[in-house]
Amino acid sequence: MSSSPSAPLPPAPLLLVDDYPPNLIALEAVLAPLGQPLVKVTSGEEALKAMLSEDFAAVLLDVQMPGLSGLETATLIKQRKRSASTPILFLSAVSRDEGAILEGYAHGAVDYIVKPYDPDILRAKVGVFVDLYRRGRQLQREEAEMRRRERELLERESAARVQAAVQEVQRAVGPLPLVDALLAAAPVGMTLVDRELRYVRCNAWIAHAIGRSPEQVVGRTVHEVSPLEEAIRIQHRVEHVLRTGETLMGLPTSVDFSHTGERRHVLVNYFPVRGEDGAVVAVGALFLDVTAQVRAQQHAESLNERLIAQQHWLEAVLHRIPVPLVLVERGSGRFTFANAAADRMWGGTYPRPETRAEYDRIVTVRHLDGTPIPSEQMASARTARGESVSGLQMLLDTPHGSTAILVESSQVPAMEGSPAVGVVTFQDISALKEAERALQKREQEYRTLAESMPQVVWTARADGQLDYVNQVLTRYIGQEEAAALGHAWTQLIHPEDLDETQRRWTHSLRTGEPFEVEYRIRRADGAYRWFLTRATCMREPDGRPLKWFGTATDIDDARRTRDAHRFLAEASALLGSTLEAEATLQQVARLAVPTLADWCCVDMLEEDGSLRRLAVSHADPAKVRLAWEIARRYALNLKATHGVPHVLRTGEPSWVPDVTEDMLVAATGGDPERLGMARQLGLRSFLAVPLVARGRLMGVLILAHSESGRRYGEADVRLAEDLGRRAGLAVDNARLYAASQTAVRLRDDFLGVASHELKTPLTPIQLKVQALQRRVSTEPDGVLPARQVGAVLDVVSTQTRKLSVLVSGLLDVSRISTGRLELHLEPVDLAALVREVAHAFEAEAAKADCALRLRLAEAPVVGRWDRLRLEQVVTNLLTNALKYGAGRPVEVALASVDGRALLAVRDEGIGIAAEAQARIFEKFERAVSDRHYGGLGLGLYITREIVRALGGGVSVESEPERGALFTVSLPLGS
């Protein structure tokens, strides 16, 4: 049974999608009056799940959602065949610009509604799609019913044809019982009328239709059974067949079923029944009920009229869409529709030729650069082939000029008898392209400015992903721009600076606050330099971050200078905190790690020219022990071209930016054990600078980088040199302080000795004078005998001479210290001079119980010398020999060897310890205590300075208790 016109329309469910629940409640309130089921979900994922289980009249979809956005959800809905035709209405409270709206239509939307919206308008728009959905579903039901009945009719027709064929075969010859059986079983109306128009046979179908039994019909005439009008029509047709023998096929008529009052539509076939002689003896009629087909046809015509009306309505809707839209027939590529917006864009009626070839002649499209697009690559041609086009930009040549357009197309599959069609939309993007060109120009200007700047210039998206860097950075890191953008910036930052940098960048991304931080960036050669990076955020109108603009300025030199000044200030303060030389150097080593180095060693020059390691510093105590062990076990190779030997030879820094394996092998002489220990140090960059003070090389400061991976540059060399000078000055100050303390001590000792020595001759003088005064007072006339006075005068003279010697010695020290020692050079025979001085010491030698032996050259030993000063030298040497060798022989020898005079004075006294042999030639120094041996400790000092002034030298060889040998060497010549 067909659907009744009054049958209720099916419900039209609506899908509401919004991640903000209050918005869903508001939509529900607006759409509730439509009386349709409302399905509410809060995400694109839930929307897709809902569409898998149910069809919807429309989808109201929020554009901005977390996870799947509205645009992405719409794309997935349109890609699914079952939901591709479901209308989508976008709702948005953010994007109001034309570009966003056009993007919404490009993703398959039928409408783009910007909040706040009018509830009545929204309800009216949705109501249209609800009505379309319900009517479409009703039509689907009716069409399904019609198809079912058509199938039944076809089945009946097939059976009727079979029965008719059987009757026709047997109508003339077959037995009547068989004919009757066939007539009774046939599902169609069948009669047999003779030439007198009497019914010979009538099956139950016909009898039932006229409200009689077959027995009541057979034997009666047509006029007796049927109404007059119907009987006359039957008569004419039967007579025509009897007369002509022709078969009448598919004659339409109607039959009123008397028992129901229902009129049925019937197709009647009249055919002749011939006897054995071939003459027509009767006419058979086959009645086929086609009521269902007729009604279906009528219903189809009604549906077609309604579809045409709906098509007109849909075309009216499409004409009101502001986006140019055309429909392209699948296969042929023929344009079946163009809306008013398309006509306006064309400047007239948009071309709708009958053939694709004609359209290609009329319409020309080009790429944005002006090159033609082949006809087979045109968007409409691709759409006709079943492709979907997205984001295609081109130039459309219209009668009024070229227009830049954005083309999108999608496929609408064949549905319910409607052919498949492609929907192509055009968006006029001329203004957008003009703005884009202006933007490109501004961007080019910006890039030109950015590329001309000496700083690193960069931009990043709102999420922090870099999208531009200038060539300053690409050259610095040795990569192209594309590689630099794809390169994780965290891999370029020094590991020690990474955590703080990431923390600040994350904070700026979250808050939009300006970003500023200093960190080190790795250069192409692996070295790191300090950069100051600043960035500010450009925001959307609603305040959300849109883009970051930043710069990175190389501040390595400035920072190193600042750090160097701070470091040197700290170093100066630390170095000035102590006046102990070794403690100062140890502080230098500790201060250098880790600011200047991973390793620091300090080696100092000793008085004998040897090198002594005083300090080693490293963060790892085990490595400190390793460095001490290497210094203990292996002597320094003074012939090496780099490192400490170079500094000792030249007084210049030795700088090795990159320590290689070959350098280690050369430095260790290839010794496997030593090489292995050197490798454990892990040296990667090396620097050695001199410790200098007042132009004097005092030692070497050794710096090295290992596990930090840093390498020394020229700035590091300058800083290390400055530290070396300050450390050298601090050490020198410490030594000067120690020397001053020693000088003070020596001064105090000297004053004590000098006061004692000066009093020694004064005391006997004073005693003799006092005794003489007492004797004079006892004499009656105050006159003493000359003998008594002479003895006193001899003592006074002797002690006065001693006092004079002491004073002269002090005066000589003063002259030597101030550089005012005067020499009166003349030819002097040193042999004769030694004999004279030795003769003068005979009495003193006898008093000391020393045998004075002379071994002098027979020939004169002559040179240009100061006679008085040489006498002073010989006197001082003999005085010492007699003082410290008393009771044993003293030998004086003189010889001429290789142009030099060699004067040797040997005693067999107490001798001199090795550690005191260099010290005894200094001022106020002695090898023994002044308590046992008198004197100011100036004789050997004056002797050395006089001999030096004469161009010679003096040395000593001695062992304790084995005497001493003093040798003076003087140049001969006139």
Side-chain angles (χ1 to χ4, degrees):
M1 178 177 289
S2 63
S3 300
S4 171
S6 61
L9 293 175
L14 299 172
L15 179 60
L16 313 182
V17 187
D18 198 310
D19 63 307
Y20 187 52
N23 288 344
L24 291 175
I25 295 173
L27 279 175
E28 183 179 19
V30 171
L31 301 178
L34 296 177
Q36 302 303 318
L38 301 178
V39 177
K40 296 175 290 183
V41 297
T42 59
S43 68
E45 292 82 354
E46 293 179 1
L48 295 175
K49 291 180 181 178
M51 298 201 71
L52 290 174
S53 59
E54 187 174 0
D55 292 332
F56 294 94
V59 179
L60 282 77
L61 185 57
D62 183 28
V63 175
Q64 300 290 335
M65 292 190 299
L68 279 178
S69 68
L71 298 177
E72 294 170 334
T73 304
T75 300
L76 295 174
I77 290 174
K78 291 299 181 182
Q79 289 177 353
R80 183 169 171 262
K81 183 176 181 181
R82 178 175 171 180
S83 59
S85 60
T86 302
I88 297 175
L89 291 82
F90 277 132
L91 300 175
S92 176
V94 178
S95 300
R96 298 172 178 268
D97 60 309
E98 183 179 352
I101 295 175
L102 294 178
E103 186 178 11
Y105 285 121
H107 281 77
V110 299
D111 205 345
Y112 194 102
I113 301 171
V114 179
K115 300 175 184 178
Y117 49 77
D118 188 310
D120 294 332
I121 295 177
L122 176 62
R123 189 163 44 247
K125 289 183 176 181
V126 176
V128 171
F129 295 107
V130 167
D131 186 59
L132 282 175
Y133 179 86
R134 299 179 72 187
R135 293 181 183 278
R137 288 295 184 271
Q138 180 65 19
L139 289 176
Q140 290 175 358
R141 292 180 182 179
E142 293 176 357
E143 289 178 2
E145 179 64 19
M146 184 178 68
R147 291 192 184 96
R148 184 185 65 79
R149 294 189 177 187
E150 286 179 351
R151 287 195 298 272
E152 291 178 356
L153 181 59
L154 290 174
E155 292 173 358
R156 292 177 183 176
E157 287 179 348
S158 177
R161 289 191 185 96
V162 173
Q163 294 296 334
V166 173
Q167 282 185 344
E168 187 174 2
V169 172
Q170 296 186 358
R171 64 177 176 269
V173 297
L176 289 179
L178 179 58
V179 174
D180 291 340
L182 290 173
L183 289 175
V188 296
M190 299 181 68
T191 61
L192 188 61
V193 181
D194 62 11
R195 300 182 67 89
E196 286 75 22
L197 301 180
R198 287 191 299 270
Y199 286 101
V200 179
R201 289 288 186 273
C202 174
N203 70 350
W205 191 92
I206 288 293
H208 178 71
I210 60 179
R212 300 183 184 187
S213 64
E215 291 77 11
Q216 293 174 332
V217 176
V218 173
R220 296 176 180 271
T221 65
V222 171
H223 291 281
E224 293 174 340
V225 174
S226 301
L228 178 60
E229 182 179 352
E230 180 67 21
I232 294 173
R233 184 167 58 251
I234 294 173
Q235 179 182 348
H236 289 324
R237 295 173 176 174
V238 170
E239 289 177 348
H240 176 80
V241 175
L242 289 172
R243 185 177 63 253
T244 63
E246 297 177 353
T247 299
L248 300 177
M249 299 292 293
L251 300 178
T253 186
S254 59
V255 176
D256 293 327
F257 279 60
S258 58
H259 66 289
T260 62
E262 181 184 10
R263 171 166 288 194
R264 309 287 293 182
H265 297 279
V266 180
L267 291 178
V268 185
N269 294 338
Y270 293 91
F271 55 89
V273 178
R274 299 180 185 275
E276 293 182 355
D277 57 358
V280 178
V281 297
V283 175
L286 180 64
F287 296 83
L288 181 63
D289 189 346
V290 293
T291 304
Q293 291 91 323
V294 170
R295 289 178 179 175
Q297 182 177 358
Q298 293 172 347
H299 182 66
E301 291 173 354
S302 174
L303 287 177
N304 188 47
E305 291 175 358
R306 290 168 61 187
L307 287 174
I308 290 173
Q310 291 180 358
Q311 181 176 356
H312 290 163
W313 177 87
L314 179 59
E315 288 180 355
V317 172
L318 294 179
H319 277 304
R320 284 164 175 77
I321 293 177
V323 178
L325 179 146
V326 298
L327 302 181
V328 181
E329 190 175 69
R330 285 278 294 273
S332 68
R334 185 172 60 88
F335 282 69
T336 60
F337 174 80
N339 68 354
D343 292 340
R344 287 194 298 272
M345 184 188 66
W346 183 259
T349 302
Y350 193 86
R352 300 176 182 84
E354 290 297 323
T355 65
R356 181 73 205 179
E358 185 179 354
Y359 178 84
D360 293 341
R361 288 194 300 270
I362 297 172
V363 179
T364 302
V365 292
R366 294 172 291 134
H367 293 290
L368 293 179
D369 60 3
T371 57
I373 297 177
S375 58
E376 66 274 8
Q377 293 300 320
M378 293 172 65
S380 55
R382 294 171 59 184
T383 303
R385 294 197 296 267
E387 299 180 29
S388 291
V389 178
S390 178
L392 180 61
Q393 299 182 15
M394 61 178 63
L395 291 174
L396 174 65
D397 293 338
T398 69
H400 301 283
S402 295
T403 302
I405 59 174
L406 174 66
V407 182
E408 303 275 347
S409 73
S410 58
Q411 299 293 326
V412 178
M415 294 186 299
E416 301 174 357
S418 299
V421 68
V423 180
V424 184
T425 59
F426 308 94
Q427 299 178 36
D428 187 344
I429 58 173
S430 299
L432 180 62
K433 283 297 168 185
E434 196 65 34
E436 187 178 291
R437 283 191 291 271
L439 181 61
Q440 288 175 347
K441 181 181 178 182
R442 287 197 296 272
E443 183 177 356
Q444 183 61 38
E445 292 173 351
Y446 163 77
R447 281 181 174 261
T448 301
L449 176 63
E451 295 297 342
S452 65
M453 293 181 67
Q455 298 169 291
V456 174
V457 179
W458 57 270
T459 62
R461 300 198 303 258
D463 60 359
Q465 177 63 44
L466 288 177
D467 54 15
Y468 167 73
V469 294
N470 69 347
Q471 59 182 352
V472 175
L473 180 62
T474 57
R475 287 199 301 264
Y476 180 82
I477 65 176
Q479 296 182 1
E480 297 296 329
E481 181 179 355
L485 293 178
H487 199 28
W489 61 271
T490 55
Q491 298 179 12
L492 300 174
I493 296 179
H494 195 286
E496 296 177 2
D497 307 331
L498 186 57
D499 289 343
E500 177 65 13
T501 302
Q502 285 185 316
R503 186 188 66 79
R504 294 196 186 185
W505 182 232
T506 301
H507 175 76
S508 294
L509 288 179
R510 186 178 66 255
T511 63
E513 295 179 3
F515 173 70
E516 181 172 341
V517 71
E518 293 181 8
Y519 53 77
R520 287 163 286 182
I521 302 178
R522 188 178 66 248
R523 202 165 53 191
D525 60 0
Y528 284 91
R529 291 184 65 83
W530 282 98
F531 282 79
L532 170 62
T533 298
R534 292 190 177 100
T536 56
C537 180
M538 185 172 71
R539 301 176 182 276
E540 297 274 15
D542 61 357
R544 290 183 296 110
L546 175 63
K547 197 174 186 64
W548 289 88
F549 292 84
T551 61
T553 305
D554 188 332
I555 60 169
D556 194 78
D557 294 337
R559 180 174 176 122
R560 287 180 182 274
T561 300
R562 181 189 68 195
D563 293 345
H565 289 165
R566 183 174 64 246
F567 172 77
L568 291 175
E570 294 175 358
S572 297
L574 187 62
L575 293 174
S577 64
T578 178
L579 288 173
E580 295 183 10
E582 293 195 10
T584 297
L585 294 175
Q586 291 169 357
Q587 288 178 341
V588 169
R590 288 193 295 269
L591 184 66
V593 177
T595 305
L596 291 184
D598 300 323
W599 283 96
C600 181
C601 300
V602 180
D603 292 345
M604 291 302 295
L605 278 172
E606 299 294 322
E607 292 295 333
D608 59 359
S610 63
L611 204 63
R612 181 167 64 96
R613 178 151 294 175
L614 292 182
V616 175
S617 181
H618 189 277
D620 185 355
K623 289 196 172 184
V624 172
R625 291 192 294 271
L626 175 63
W628 280 114
E629 180 65 16
I630 292 175
R632 184 186 67 80
R633 293 175 59 177
Y634 301 106
L636 183 66
N637 180 11
L638 296 177
K639 296 182 180 180
T641 58
H642 297 287
V644 175
H646 173 81
V647 178
L648 293 176
R649 285 195 305 271
T650 66
E652 298 293 331
S654 178
W655 169 32
V656 181
D658 295 291
V659 176
T660 64
E661 178 69 12
D662 292 341
M663 292 180 181
L664 291 179
V665 173
T668 58
D671 181 356
E673 183 178 5
R674 186 176 181 183
L675 179 60
M677 296 177 73
R679 286 171 178 162
Q680 292 181 47
L681 298 178
L683 303 183
R684 297 186 61 181
S685 190
F686 176 86
L687 175 59
V689 296
L691 299 177
V692 180
R694 296 181 294 166
R696 177 188 173 195
L697 180 63
M698 306 179 67
V700 181
L701 176 65
I702 305 167
L703 305 171
H705 285 310
S706 55
E707 56 272 359
S708 68
R710 294 179 290 178
R711 57 196 303 274
Y712 289 113
E714 295 182 0
D716 299 310
V717 176
R718 293 192 295 271
L719 177 59
E721 284 185 297
D722 199 343
L723 177 62
R725 285 190 293 270
R726 297 183 187 220
L729 183 60
V731 172
D732 188 55
N733 288 338
R735 287 183 173 180
L736 289 176
Y737 175 76
S740 68
Q741 293 296 100
T742 301
V744 169
R745 178 179 55 77
L746 291 175
R747 181 202 63 189
D748 294 341
D749 292 345
F750 165 72
L751 290 177
V753 172
S755 62
H756 177 270
E757 291 296 326
L758 290 173
K759 287 180 179 180
T760 299
L762 288 176
T763 300
I765 293 175
Q766 186 178 14
L767 292 175
K768 290 294 183 179
V769 170
Q770 290 176 351
L772 185 61
Q773 288 176 339
R774 285 195 299 271
R775 289 179 184 178
V776 170
S777 63
T778 59
E779 293 294 331
D781 52 1
V783 177
L784 291 176
R787 181 177 55 78
Q788 294 181 2
V789 175
V792 172
L793 290 178
D794 288 340
V795 173
V796 171
S797 176
T798 301
Q799 298 303 325
T800 302
R801 186 171 61 252
K802 290 182 179 180
L803 184 60
S804 176
V805 171
L806 291 174
V807 174
S808 296
L810 292 175
L811 183 60
D812 284 341
V813 170
S814 175
R815 288 171 178 170
I816 292 170
S817 299
T818 59
R820 292 185 292 109
L821 180 65
E822 297 181 0
L823 297 176
H824 300 282
L825 301 180
E826 59 180 327
V828 176
D829 181 1
L830 184 57
L833 185 145
V834 170
R835 291 189 184 95
E836 293 176 4
V837 174
H839 178 70
F841 269 86
E842 288 179 354
E844 189 170 346
K847 185 178 179 180
D849 194 20
C850 291
L852 187 58
R853 302 171 184 172
L854 298 181
R855 288 194 303 107
L856 305 179
E858 297 181 359
V861 180
V862 180
R864 284 188 59 80
W865 301 311
D866 186 317
R867 182 180 184 85
L868 292 178
R869 293 298 180 187
L870 277 182
E871 287 182 0
Q872 192 175 357
V873 168
V874 177
T875 298
N876 287 340
L877 294 176
L878 285 175
T879 299
N880 275 355
L882 295 174
K883 180 191 299 185
Y884 297 110
R888 296 183 182 182
V890 172
E891 182 180 276
V892 179
L894 176 66
S896 176
V897 180
D898 297 331
R900 301 188 70 84
L902 298 180
L903 172 64
V905 178
R906 181 190 297 275
D907 66 73
E908 298 179 7
I910 63 175
I912 305 170
E915 62 271 13
Q917 291 179 14
R919 179 164 52 82
I920 60 175
F921 288 101
E922 300 298 330
K923 288 183 290 186
F924 315 124
E925 290 289 350
R926 299 179 180 81
V928 295
S929 173
D930 59 338
R931 295 181 179 179
H932 301 90
Y933 299 91
L936 296 177
L938 298 175
L940 291 179
Y941 168 73
I942 294 172
T943 298
R944 184 190 67 180
E945 296 302 319
I946 292 174
V947 172
R948 283 181 177 177
L950 293 174
V954 59
S955 62
V956 62
E957 298 178 16
S958 178
E959 292 183 17
E961 305 302 332
R962 292 192 178 185
L965 170 63
F966 286 88
T967 303
V968 174
S969 173
L970 291 170
L972 295 174
S974 56

